[in-house]
């Protein structure tokens, strides 16, 4: 009996963690967007005693949805040749350089 409760608790923690991570990554962390994370925190903490498998499935599905929409948006931008992606590519290169402890030099603009 205890093992089934532990499995549900573990699944709930994983769903909660993944959903918060997806919302923070794709929706944002700004103060005016904090109502998204506040709602998630409230739902998971208030319903901690009655973990409904349907609610956990819904949280997992919404996490998958957020990640998929973001991935599709990236793909659409990468396929569109007419869009000037120099700023986006500079951002990607900057992140890549920062991951190994380097900085890109500022480019001279006359």
């Amino acid at each position: 009996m205890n093992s089934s409760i532990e499995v549900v608790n573990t699944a709930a923690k994983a769903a909660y963690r993944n959903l918060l991570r997806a919302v923070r990554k794709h929706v944002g962390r700004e103060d005016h967007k904090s109502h998204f994370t506040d709602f998630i925190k409230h739902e998971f903490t208030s319903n901690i005693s009655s973990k409904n498998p349907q609610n956990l499935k819904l949280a997992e599905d919404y996490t998958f949805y957020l990640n998929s929409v973001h991935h599709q948006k990236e793909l659409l931008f990468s396929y569109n040749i007419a869009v000037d992606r120099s700023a986006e590519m500079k951002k990607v290169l900057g992140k890549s350089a920062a991951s190994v402890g380097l900085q890109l030099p500022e480019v001279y603009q006359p």
Side-chain angles (χ1 to χ4, degrees):
M1 181 81 174
N2 270 345
S3 64
S4 65
I5 293 173
E6 290 176 14
V7 169
V8 170
N9 284 338
T10 304
K13 287 178 185 177
Y16 174 68
R17 186 173 40 252
N18 291 335
L19 182 58
L20 272 181
R21 188 177 298 137
V23 167
R24 287 179 179 148
K25 181 178 180 182
H26 303 305
V27 175
R29 295 179 181 239
E30 293 86 15
D31 287 338
H32 66 279
K33 297 179 181 177
S34 66
H35 59 280
F36 291 106
T37 55
D38 292 343
F39 176 76
I40 293 167
K41 289 175 186 177
H42 173 71
E43 285 299 309
F44 271 87
T45 55
S46 67
N47 298 331
I48 201 146
S49 60
S50 61
K51 295 213 175 27
N52 187 352
Q54 276 186 322
N55 289 343
L56 291 179
K57 178 70 173 140
L58 183 65
E60 291 169 356
D61 289 347
Y62 190 67
T63 303
F64 183 73
Y65 171 75
L66 279 177
N67 290 328
S68 297
V69 166
H70 182 73
H71 182 70
Q72 181 191 23
K73 183 180 172 185
E74 286 179 349
L75 284 174
L76 288 174
F77 278 127
S78 70
Y79 294 153
N80 193 353
I81 298 171
V83 175
D84 181 26
R85 297 191 48 215
S86 61
E88 183 181 337
M89 289 306 295
K90 184 176 178 182
K91 183 179 170 183
V92 169
L93 289 173
K95 284 183 180 181
S96 297
S99 70
V100 294
L102 301 173
Q103 280 186 323
L104 291 177
E106 292 295 322
V107 179
Y108 175 72
Q109 301 277 334

